[in-house]
Amino acid sequence: MKIKIDISDEYDEPTIIIQAKVWSEELAALMKRLQAQEPQRLVGVEDERSVLLDPSELDYVYAEQRKVYAVRNGRQIELKMKLYEVEALLQEYRFQRFSKSVIGNLDQIDRFELVFNGNLCVHFKSGSKEYVSRGYVAELKQRLILGGGGRDDA
């Protein structure tokens, strides 16, 4: 992707022009980021206190026994939302479904390895790890390797 910036007194307000051969997921993600008003933050509960969570700092979010938890630096913080609601809020932050009960942050992945049963074991920068079900492996690999670079690609 090429980026050109032209700074001049002749412009009254910033204008963004996107030129592409075809519409792509990368362009759709870029449009979402450009149109976002301000970063969303999640509110979690830890030790009976409300905690503000920056989505970019989360490793993953998972559901267990009818509760939803966000994992940040190895700490589990309960969210008072349904997993599908969290997934909708986190779409613009490069979160991807890992399994029926887990959504992972692609920008926090350090490495991954194939497990004997076809699943992936994803290791996060914080040291925590989570597994990706077989049905989600191909899409995750494609976003990570082929077309889903980091934040600086958008």
Side-chain angles (χ1 to χ4, degrees):
M1 178 184 301
K2 295 180 183 176
I3 299 175
K4 296 179 183 179
I5 300 175
D6 183 8
I7 307 291
S8 174
D9 291 336
E10 68 184 82
Y11 303 120
D12 293 330
E13 65 180 344
T15 302
I16 297 172
I17 299 171
I18 298 174
Q19 298 172 326
K21 194 171 196 171
V22 295
W23 186 256
S24 66
E25 281 187 35
E26 184 180 25
L27 290 177
L30 178 60
M31 287 299 298
K32 281 184 181 181
R33 284 194 185 157
L34 291 172
Q35 293 171 339
Q37 297 296 328
E38 58 185 62
Q40 296 268 340
R41 296 203 328 185
L42 298 172
V43 177
V45 177
E46 184 180 46
D47 299 327
E48 298 180 21
R49 293 178 293 172
S50 294
V51 179
L52 288 176
L53 302 169
D54 180 348
S56 64
E57 296 176 349
L58 301 179
D59 288 341
Y60 59 95
V61 177
Y62 71 98
E64 183 177 79
Q65 297 180 355
R66 304 183 72 108
K67 292 185 179 185
V68 176
Y69 300 92
V71 177
R72 178 178 70 181
N73 296 324
R75 292 179 21 220
Q76 299 168 346
I77 301 162
E78 184 178 353
L79 303 176
K80 299 294 185 181
M81 301 171 72
K82 303 283 185 204
L83 191 61
Y84 69 88
E85 294 171 331
V86 176
E87 183 176 26
L89 279 174
L90 298 178
Q91 280 181 342
E92 67 187 72
Y93 292 95
R94 291 184 28 83
F95 275 73
Q96 166 106 16
R97 188 63 81 147
F98 281 11
S99 66
K100 273 179 57 176
S101 60
V102 179
I103 305 163
N105 185 346
L106 302 183
D107 291 332
Q108 292 296 328
I109 293 175
D110 182 43
R111 62 187 169 87
F112 56 90
E113 56 196 40
L114 191 60
V115 183
F116 72 94
N117 61 2
N119 294 352
L120 276 183
C121 180
V122 173
H123 296 265
F124 294 95
K125 294 173 185 173
S126 68
S128 61
K129 67 180 179 180
E130 188 54 58
Y131 291 90
V132 180
S133 298
R134 270 190 310 237
Y136 297 94
V137 169
E139 184 180 351
L140 176 65
K141 277 184 171 180
Q142 184 172 2
R143 282 191 72 189
L144 287 175
I145 298 168
L146 299 178
R151 290 183 181 278
D152 46 346
D153 286 350

